[in-house]
Amino acid sequence: PKAMENQPKSIQGLIDSYIAEEQARKAKRERSGKWSPSAFGKCYRAQFWNRKNVPISNPIEPRKLRVFKCGDLFHDFVKNLVKEEGFKEEVLCETDDIKGYADLVSPICVWDIKSQHSFAFHYMAKSEDIGEDKKPNVLQVIWYADFLKLPEGRLVFVSKDDLCIQEYGFPRNEKWLGELAQELATLRDYWNKGELPPAEPRAYCDKKTGKS
């Protein structure tokens, strides 16, 4: 009916439209054709396709996009607060086949900010080995620390419900550089052979079964 045409969109509709348009703009951006540090530690096939810029076959549904947007808002809040202390933000780190941006860089370390809902956040605080549980995030921040020749990478987790913070430091040492070297060696081997890696989850481990 004509009367309905003059009604304003719902707030939910406005938000979903904005996020959908934002996603469409991102999808049109030309990718670098390089590995992305933010994907290290995740499915090799997903990383391979991401580098080839293959379109996503299962678009993310609106609710999940809203969750991601909430994460962006908290991420930007913390980053903008910390950068007032003189840290550099979104520092370009690029090699022949890797390209990414370090969240925040201080004279002694790289900081990467991650947001989580409160249940996951407080459950994470009980972790017996946070480095193993958050290995993809660690590999990412260690790569930035190694590129910038800084002694440490730090992960800053933010609870989206109450702004509680958990912060973990990881040294740029033999252990993590070795893990990173293995990740890159495997990716480059598949790429150089032009061989599609197996579709296998890797990012999160089920402690009961030992499987990803």
Side-chain angles (χ1 to χ4, degrees):
K2 221 170 198 185
M4 294 291 288
E5 295 177 2
N6 297 323
Q7 294 296 317
K9 285 185 177 180
S10 68
I11 298 299
Q12 184 71 81
L14 289 170
I15 290 173
D16 287 345
S17 294
Y18 174 84
I19 294 175
E21 290 169 5
E22 189 175 59
Q23 287 296 113
R25 289 194 297 272
K26 290 180 180 179
K28 290 180 181 178
R29 286 191 307 206
E30 185 175 349
R31 285 193 44 77
S32 66
K34 299 183 178 185
W35 302 115
S36 174
S38 62
F40 290 165
K42 301 177 183 178
C43 171
Y44 290 127
R45 178 173 291 189
Q47 294 190 67
F48 189 94
W49 276 341
N50 186 51
R51 183 175 179 183
K52 279 187 171 292
N53 200 27
V54 174
I56 296 174
S57 58
N58 51 338
I60 303 170
E61 48 93 13
R63 181 188 175 281
K64 183 64 68 117
L65 289 174
R66 293 197 297 272
V67 170
F68 290 162
K69 187 62 180 177
C70 287
D72 290 342
L73 295 174
F74 277 85
H75 177 279
D76 291 345
F77 170 76
V78 175
K79 187 174 68 174
N80 290 334
L81 185 68
V82 175
K83 76 178 182 181
E84 293 178 5
E85 301 297 317
F87 291 14
K88 296 178 181 177
E89 64 169 325
E90 296 297 320
V91 176
L92 174 63
C93 301
E94 185 173 14
T95 67
D96 289 343
D97 63 351
I98 304 171
K99 181 178 180 180
Y101 293 86
D103 267 359
L104 291 164
V105 178
S106 78
I108 58 171
C109 69
V110 179
W111 309 62
D112 200 70
I113 303 165
K114 308 290 184 186
S115 63
Q116 293 187 317
H117 63 76
S118 61
F119 178 81
F121 178 89
H122 293 291
Y123 181 80
M124 176 190 68
K126 301 176 183 178
S127 172
E128 296 178 1
D129 188 346
I130 195 67
E132 189 63 30
D133 290 347
K134 297 294 183 182
K135 186 180 288 187
N137 300 145
V138 180
L139 293 178
Q140 176 187 7
V141 78
I142 288 295
W143 186 80
Y144 290 133
D146 191 47
F147 179 89
L148 296 167
K149 304 305 178 195
L150 295 173
E152 185 180 62
R154 299 192 71 83
L155 295 176
V156 180
F157 293 96
V158 185
S159 168
K160 287 187 283 189
D161 290 345
D162 50 21
L163 275 180
C164 285
I165 300 286
Q166 290 282 352
E167 189 172 324
Y168 303 91
F170 299 91
R172 183 170 65 94
N173 60 13
E174 184 177 346
K175 168 184 164 54
W176 288 114
L177 290 177
E179 296 263 10
L180 182 60
Q182 182 60 54
E183 179 79 5
L184 294 175
T186 302
L187 288 170
R188 287 165 175 159
D189 183 57
Y190 281 119
W191 186 263
N192 293 335
K193 292 189 298 187
E195 179 183 332
L196 187 64
E200 295 176 351
R202 300 176 56 233
Y204 305 102
C205 181
D206 184 331
K207 293 182 179 179
K208 292 182 180 179
T209 66
K211 297 180 180 179
S212 295

